[in-house]
Structure formats: C-alpha cells, structure tokens
Amino acid sequence: MGSSSGTKDDSSTFGPSPINVQELVKGGPSISIPHQYIRLNQEPPPSFSVTPTPTPTIDMSRLLSEDDLELHKLHSTCRDWGIFQVVNHGVSSTLLEKLNHEVEGFYRLPLEEKMKYRIREGEMEGFGTRCRGDGKYDWVDTFNIVTNPVRKRRPHLFPQLPPSLRSTLECYLSELQRIAARLICLMGKALKIDEKEMTELFDDGLQAVRMACYPPCPKPELVMALTPHSDITLLTILHQVNGVDGLQVKKDGHWLPFNFIPDAFVVNVGDIFQIFSNGVYHSIEHRVSTSREKERMTVTFTVLPNSKADVGPSPSLVNEDNRPLFRTVGMEQYFNDFFTRKLYGKTYLDHMRIQNGHQHSST
C-alpha cells in the first residue's frame, strides 16, 4: 500500500520532492498546487451513490482455533478480493493508541527535526516523498524504514528515532511479525502447501514500515495521495491512525471506497503472493484520494521473502496440468526490474507473466 517507483540511477527523475506537503498546506486554501503534484488524467472517482459490497472480514481468533469455515473464507477472500480486514488479532488497543499518539507526534515535530531523517541521495529509505515513474509526486509525506533483518537497519534512521516512538514501533513490529507469520502459513495451508515451504519463503525476510501523512488539499481533484498500484510485496498490513478514510480499491473494474472497521488491520495480498500461488490468489489495485479538509495518517507494515529466495510459483502448485503462469527470478532481480520500470496499476505483475508459453526478457 505504499510502493515507490522510478529509476535508481537517475536522481533527477527519482529523487525526493524538494517540497514538504505538510509545510505547503500551512499557506491555507489559497495555495497554488505545484505542477509536480498535478495529475490531470486521473481515472474517475468512485460513485458514492452506490453502496459498495463490504470488504470481507477475517476473524484471527477463529483462524487460530483451526476453524475450517474461517480458513475457507480466508481462501476465497484471497482468491476473489485480495484485501480483507482482520479482527480479533490480539494486538491491544492500548498499544495501538500509543502508536497513534507517537506517529501523530512525529508529524507534529518541526520540519528541521524531521529532515534529520530525510531521504539521502541514491537511497530509498527516509523521510520525504519519492518521484513516481511518470515524473509526478503523490500528495503525501512518508517515512520509509527497513526494519528486518535487523542488520539492514540504517544507523541514521530507526536507531535515531525519538526513544518513545522507537520503543513503541519495536513492540508494534513484534506483534505484526507474529500476525504476518501466522497469516502467511494459514494462506499456504489453504493452498495445501507445506508449512515448511511457507516458513522458508519469509523467514528472516525483508520487512519495512512506512508512516504516511496525507495532508488536506484545497483542490483534491488535481492530486493523488497515492497513485493506483498493487503492492509488490508478499503481504502488506495497514493500520489507520486517525480514522480518516481515503483508501479506494479496484474491484471488477470499478473503484470502490474502502470503509475501515476501527482497530481492525487491513491486509493486502501482494504481487509476490499472487505469483507464488500461481494466480490462485490476487493482489488488488488500490489508491488513496485526498480530502479537502482532513489530514489522514497511516502505518504500513510490509513483508517480503528473504534475499536468497526466488520469486516465482510454488513448486507445490506447478505440474503437468498446472503450468507456471509467472516467471521465476531471484529477489534481487525482482527489485531491480521493478525500480527500472515506469509503473502504474498492475503493470509490473503483467511484466512477470509468461505470455503464450514464452517468458518476457527482464529488460
């Protein structure tokens, strides 16, 4: 729910925005929208006159009690939707309230404090907003940090966070790792894949956290808070900090507003899981709209395979009668290919598909 795209080697097209959106909107409703943020060819907004089908809800406590009906519901939801809300997940409301307080506190810091964590030249992590592949910026101020493996943590980012934010995030990440591991193994179980194969896929894998602040915009129809995309991850877990909606999902060719259940987590099936399931499960295209008056904040936790893993269909699901629908590449190539393409929607997943029995080249 928050992948960046662009070109690694070309800092002019991939560099962070020189503009901080939070600071910009302090100018009030009369501000002019910088051209880098204006998108004139957006897909139309969802029709709010039609009541959307509620997004499926998965009860974690039922899943863990080996409820076959709930496991079947998880399977059909990953197959038909690719997004769901998890309730009874076991994370205390006290911890979530503390996290909300700390994230809001970070975004209330003076700009010079936040800029200590700014995205550095040629790097992906830090505070700021990366350019999209089309040369435009999303209407958001983000803070992206790799949190696992711990040895990959950049010394100037996570270790240097304000102590209360850092310790709260550590507790939160510990809980989310537990939930993600259980969900991934249960999704594998629903696909009839051995738990050992699932564990090897994500054990000591890459994990990251993304805090995001979407300031209000006086002309929301001109900007996008988050460009339409599917997540390139294995799994993404979203926590909405301040109860302001804005997420929209594309279902059956139509954009639908997403209605959050308080304290539930929103789980996205990522592109890697769609590939791994050989197309049985589906990642969902989503975007975020901007509010004219309200600021929105979120925390996203992403899970990817470990760096030595291959990204491709599970060997357990491929046979004479079930040919692979996607190429198999190493994690490093998967990322390199992603960051050298101009992306929109689910174009990268299409790049990974095997067309008419022939594999795409990786150029």
Short mmCIF file of all heavy atoms in Angstrom, two decimals, residues 15-49:
data_model
loop_
_atom_site.label_atom_id
_atom_site.label_comp_id
_atom_site.label_asym_id
_atom_site.label_seq_id
_atom_site.Cartn_x
_atom_site.Cartn_y
_atom_site.Cartn_z
N GLY A 15 14.59 11.36 -7.51
CA GLY A 15 14.93 12.00 -6.26
C GLY A 15 13.72 12.40 -5.46
O GLY A 15 12.60 12.47 -5.97
N PRO A 16 13.93 12.65 -4.15
CA PRO A 16 12.82 13.07 -3.30
C PRO A 16 12.34 14.46 -3.68
O PRO A 16 13.08 15.28 -4.23
CB PRO A 16 13.43 13.05 -1.90
CG PRO A 16 14.90 13.17 -2.10
CD PRO A 16 15.19 12.53 -3.42
N SER A 17 11.07 14.73 -3.38
CA SER A 17 10.50 16.04 -3.67
C SER A 17 11.17 17.11 -2.81
O SER A 17 11.40 16.90 -1.62
CB SER A 17 8.99 16.02 -3.37
OG SER A 17 8.47 17.33 -3.43
N PRO A 18 11.49 18.26 -3.40
CA PRO A 18 12.04 19.36 -2.60
C PRO A 18 10.97 20.03 -1.74
O PRO A 18 11.26 20.87 -0.92
CB PRO A 18 12.58 20.32 -3.66
CG PRO A 18 11.74 20.06 -4.87
CD PRO A 18 11.38 18.60 -4.83
N ILE A 19 9.72 19.62 -1.94
CA ILE A 19 8.59 20.25 -1.25
C ILE A 19 8.07 19.34 -0.15
O ILE A 19 7.91 18.14 -0.35
CB ILE A 19 7.46 20.56 -2.24
CG1 ILE A 19 7.94 21.53 -3.31
CG2 ILE A 19 6.22 21.11 -1.53
CD1 ILE A 19 7.05 21.60 -4.53
N ASN A 20 7.83 19.89 1.04
CA ASN A 20 7.17 19.15 2.11
C ASN A 20 5.70 19.54 2.09
O ASN A 20 5.36 20.71 2.24
CB ASN A 20 7.81 19.49 3.45
CG ASN A 20 7.15 18.78 4.61
OD1 ASN A 20 6.25 19.33 5.25
ND2 ASN A 20 7.57 17.56 4.89
N VAL A 21 4.82 18.56 1.88
CA VAL A 21 3.40 18.87 1.67
C VAL A 21 2.78 19.46 2.93
O VAL A 21 1.99 20.40 2.87
CB VAL A 21 2.63 17.62 1.21
CG1 VAL A 21 1.17 17.98 0.93
CG2 VAL A 21 3.26 17.03 -0.05
N GLN A 22 3.14 18.92 4.10
CA GLN A 22 2.62 19.47 5.36
C GLN A 22 2.91 20.96 5.49
O GLN A 22 2.06 21.74 5.91
CB GLN A 22 3.24 18.74 6.54
CG GLN A 22 2.40 17.61 7.12
CD GLN A 22 3.00 17.14 8.43
OE1 GLN A 22 4.17 16.80 8.52
NE2 GLN A 22 2.19 17.12 9.48
N GLU A 23 4.14 21.34 5.14
CA GLU A 23 4.53 22.76 5.23
C GLU A 23 3.77 23.58 4.19
O GLU A 23 3.33 24.70 4.46
CB GLU A 23 6.04 22.91 5.02
CG GLU A 23 6.89 22.30 6.12
CD GLU A 23 6.63 22.95 7.48
OE1 GLU A 23 6.73 24.19 7.58
OE2 GLU A 23 6.34 22.21 8.44
N LEU A 24 3.62 23.02 3.01
CA LEU A 24 2.94 23.73 1.92
C LEU A 24 1.52 24.11 2.29
O LEU A 24 1.08 25.24 2.05
CB LEU A 24 2.94 22.84 0.66
CG LEU A 24 2.28 23.40 -0.59
CD1 LEU A 24 3.05 24.60 -1.13
CD2 LEU A 24 2.17 22.32 -1.67
N VAL A 25 0.77 23.18 2.90
CA VAL A 25 -0.64 23.45 3.18
C VAL A 25 -0.84 24.43 4.33
O VAL A 25 -1.95 24.91 4.54
CB VAL A 25 -1.42 22.14 3.47
CG1 VAL A 25 -1.36 21.21 2.29
CG2 VAL A 25 -0.93 21.44 4.73
N LYS A 26 0.25 24.75 5.04
CA LYS A 26 0.13 25.79 6.07
C LYS A 26 -0.21 27.14 5.46
O LYS A 26 -0.63 28.05 6.16
CB LYS A 26 1.43 25.88 6.88
CG LYS A 26 1.65 24.69 7.83
CD LYS A 26 2.95 24.83 8.59
CE LYS A 26 3.16 23.64 9.54
NZ LYS A 26 4.46 23.70 10.24
N GLY A 27 -0.01 27.26 4.14
CA GLY A 27 -0.34 28.50 3.44
C GLY A 27 -1.83 28.74 3.29
O GLY A 27 -2.25 29.79 2.81
N GLY A 28 -2.64 27.75 3.67
CA GLY A 28 -4.09 27.92 3.64
C GLY A 28 -4.70 27.54 2.31
O GLY A 28 -4.02 27.10 1.37
N PRO A 29 -6.02 27.73 2.18
CA PRO A 29 -6.76 27.28 0.99
C PRO A 29 -6.40 28.00 -0.30
O PRO A 29 -6.75 27.54 -1.39
CB PRO A 29 -8.23 27.54 1.36
CG PRO A 29 -8.19 28.53 2.47
CD PRO A 29 -6.91 28.31 3.20
N SER A 30 -5.68 29.11 -0.19
CA SER A 30 -5.35 29.87 -1.41
C SER A 30 -4.04 29.42 -2.06
O SER A 30 -3.62 29.98 -3.07
CB SER A 30 -5.27 31.36 -1.08
OG SER A 30 -4.25 31.59 -0.12
N ILE A 31 -3.38 28.41 -1.49
CA ILE A 31 -2.10 27.98 -2.06
C ILE A 31 -2.28 27.49 -3.49
O ILE A 31 -3.32 26.97 -3.86
CB ILE A 31 -1.44 26.86 -1.22
CG1 ILE A 31 -2.34 25.60 -1.18
CG2 ILE A 31 -1.08 27.31 0.16
CD1 ILE A 31 -1.63 24.35 -0.75
N SER A 32 -1.23 27.66 -4.30
CA SER A 32 -1.27 27.09 -5.64
C SER A 32 -0.58 25.73 -5.58
O SER A 32 0.43 25.56 -4.90
CB SER A 32 -0.59 28.02 -6.64
OG SER A 32 0.80 27.95 -6.53
N ILE A 33 -1.16 24.76 -6.28
CA ILE A 33 -0.63 23.39 -6.26
C ILE A 33 0.59 23.33 -7.17
O ILE A 33 0.48 23.66 -8.37
CB ILE A 33 -1.69 22.37 -6.75
CG1 ILE A 33 -3.03 22.58 -6.03
CG2 ILE A 33 -1.18 20.94 -6.58
CD1 ILE A 33 -3.01 22.38 -4.57
N PRO A 34 1.76 22.93 -6.67
CA PRO A 34 2.94 22.83 -7.54
C PRO A 34 2.68 21.85 -8.69
O PRO A 34 2.02 20.83 -8.52
CB PRO A 34 4.03 22.29 -6.59
CG PRO A 34 3.57 22.66 -5.22
CD PRO A 34 2.08 22.59 -5.26
N HIS A 35 3.24 22.17 -9.86
CA HIS A 35 2.95 21.38 -11.07
C HIS A 35 3.37 19.92 -10.92
O HIS A 35 2.78 19.03 -11.54
CB HIS A 35 3.62 22.00 -12.29
CG HIS A 35 5.13 21.91 -12.27
ND1 HIS A 35 5.81 20.85 -12.81
CD2 HIS A 35 6.08 22.74 -11.74
CE1 HIS A 35 7.11 21.02 -12.63
NE2 HIS A 35 7.30 22.16 -11.99
N GLN A 36 4.41 19.66 -10.07
CA GLN A 36 4.88 18.28 -9.91
C GLN A 36 3.81 17.36 -9.30
O GLN A 36 3.91 16.14 -9.39
CB GLN A 36 6.11 18.21 -8.98
CG GLN A 36 7.29 19.05 -9.42
CD GLN A 36 7.34 20.34 -8.63
OE1 GLN A 36 6.35 21.08 -8.58
NE2 GLN A 36 8.48 20.63 -8.02
N TYR A 37 2.80 17.97 -8.67
CA TYR A 37 1.77 17.18 -7.99
C TYR A 37 0.47 17.09 -8.79
O TYR A 37 -0.40 16.30 -8.45
CB TYR A 37 1.46 17.80 -6.62
CG TYR A 37 2.60 17.65 -5.63
CD1 TYR A 37 3.62 18.60 -5.57
CD2 TYR A 37 2.64 16.57 -4.76
CE1 TYR A 37 4.67 18.46 -4.68
CE2 TYR A 37 3.69 16.43 -3.85
CZ TYR A 37 4.69 17.37 -3.81
OH TYR A 37 5.73 17.23 -2.93
N ILE A 38 0.34 17.89 -9.82
CA ILE A 38 -0.93 17.94 -10.56
C ILE A 38 -1.05 16.76 -11.52
O ILE A 38 -0.15 16.50 -12.33
CB ILE A 38 -1.07 19.28 -11.32
CG1 ILE A 38 -1.17 20.43 -10.32
CG2 ILE A 38 -2.29 19.25 -12.24
CD1 ILE A 38 -1.20 21.81 -10.95
N ARG A 39 -2.16 16.04 -11.43
CA ARG A 39 -2.45 14.92 -12.33
C ARG A 39 -3.81 15.19 -12.99
O ARG A 39 -4.84 15.13 -12.33
CB ARG A 39 -2.51 13.61 -11.54
CG ARG A 39 -1.18 13.23 -10.90
CD ARG A 39 -1.35 11.97 -10.06
NE ARG A 39 -0.10 11.61 -9.39
CZ ARG A 39 0.86 10.88 -9.93
NH1 ARG A 39 0.71 10.44 -11.17
NH2 ARG A 39 1.96 10.59 -9.26
N LEU A 40 -3.77 15.46 -14.29
CA LEU A 40 -5.00 15.84 -14.99
C LEU A 40 -5.73 14.65 -15.60
O LEU A 40 -6.89 14.78 -15.99
CB LEU A 40 -4.67 16.86 -16.10
CG LEU A 40 -4.06 18.18 -15.60
CD1 LEU A 40 -3.70 19.07 -16.76
CD2 LEU A 40 -5.04 18.89 -14.66
N ASN A 41 -5.06 13.51 -15.71
CA ASN A 41 -5.68 12.36 -16.40
C ASN A 41 -6.00 11.23 -15.44
O ASN A 41 -5.76 10.07 -15.74
CB ASN A 41 -4.74 11.86 -17.51
CG ASN A 41 -4.46 12.95 -18.52
OD1 ASN A 41 -5.37 13.61 -18.98
ND2 ASN A 41 -3.19 13.13 -18.86
N GLN A 42 -6.57 11.57 -14.30
CA GLN A 42 -6.92 10.54 -13.32
C GLN A 42 -8.13 9.74 -13.77
O GLN A 42 -9.00 10.25 -14.48
CB GLN A 42 -7.25 11.20 -11.98
CG GLN A 42 -6.09 11.89 -11.31
CD GLN A 42 -6.50 12.48 -9.97
OE1 GLN A 42 -7.31 11.89 -9.26
NE2 GLN A 42 -5.97 13.64 -9.63
N GLU A 43 -8.18 8.49 -13.32
CA GLU A 43 -9.41 7.73 -13.51
C GLU A 43 -10.49 8.38 -12.65
O GLU A 43 -10.21 8.97 -11.61
CB GLU A 43 -9.19 6.28 -13.07
CG GLU A 43 -8.22 5.52 -13.95
CD GLU A 43 -8.04 4.08 -13.49
OE1 GLU A 43 -9.04 3.35 -13.47
OE2 GLU A 43 -6.91 3.72 -13.16
N PRO A 44 -11.76 8.27 -13.07
CA PRO A 44 -12.83 8.95 -12.32
C PRO A 44 -12.96 8.43 -10.90
O PRO A 44 -12.63 7.27 -10.62
CB PRO A 44 -14.10 8.63 -13.13
CG PRO A 44 -13.74 7.44 -13.96
CD PRO A 44 -12.27 7.54 -14.22
N PRO A 45 -13.44 9.28 -9.98
CA PRO A 45 -13.62 8.84 -8.59
C PRO A 45 -14.73 7.81 -8.50
O PRO A 45 -15.56 7.68 -9.41
CB PRO A 45 -14.01 10.14 -7.86
CG PRO A 45 -14.59 11.02 -8.91
CD PRO A 45 -13.86 10.68 -10.17
N PRO A 46 -14.77 7.06 -7.40
CA PRO A 46 -15.83 6.06 -7.26
C PRO A 46 -17.19 6.72 -7.11
O PRO A 46 -17.28 7.88 -6.69
CB PRO A 46 -15.45 5.31 -5.98
CG PRO A 46 -14.57 6.24 -5.23
CD PRO A 46 -13.87 7.08 -6.25
N SER A 47 -18.22 6.00 -7.48
CA SER A 47 -19.58 6.50 -7.32
C SER A 47 -20.02 6.22 -5.89
O SER A 47 -20.19 5.07 -5.50
CB SER A 47 -20.52 5.82 -8.31
OG SER A 47 -21.85 6.15 -7.99
N PHE A 48 -20.21 7.28 -5.13
CA PHE A 48 -20.61 7.10 -3.73
C PHE A 48 -22.12 6.91 -3.60
O PHE A 48 -22.64 6.69 -2.52
CB PHE A 48 -20.14 8.28 -2.88
CG PHE A 48 -18.65 8.29 -2.68
CD1 PHE A 48 -17.82 8.93 -3.59
CD2 PHE A 48 -18.07 7.62 -1.62
CE1 PHE A 48 -16.45 8.93 -3.42
CE2 PHE A 48 -16.69 7.62 -1.44
CZ PHE A 48 -15.89 8.27 -2.34
N SER A 49 -22.84 7.02 -4.72
CA SER A 49 -24.29 6.81 -4.67
C SER A 49 -24.62 5.32 -4.59
O SER A 49 -25.70 4.93 -4.19
CB SER A 49 -24.95 7.43 -5.91
OG SER A 49 -24.43 6.84 -7.08
#
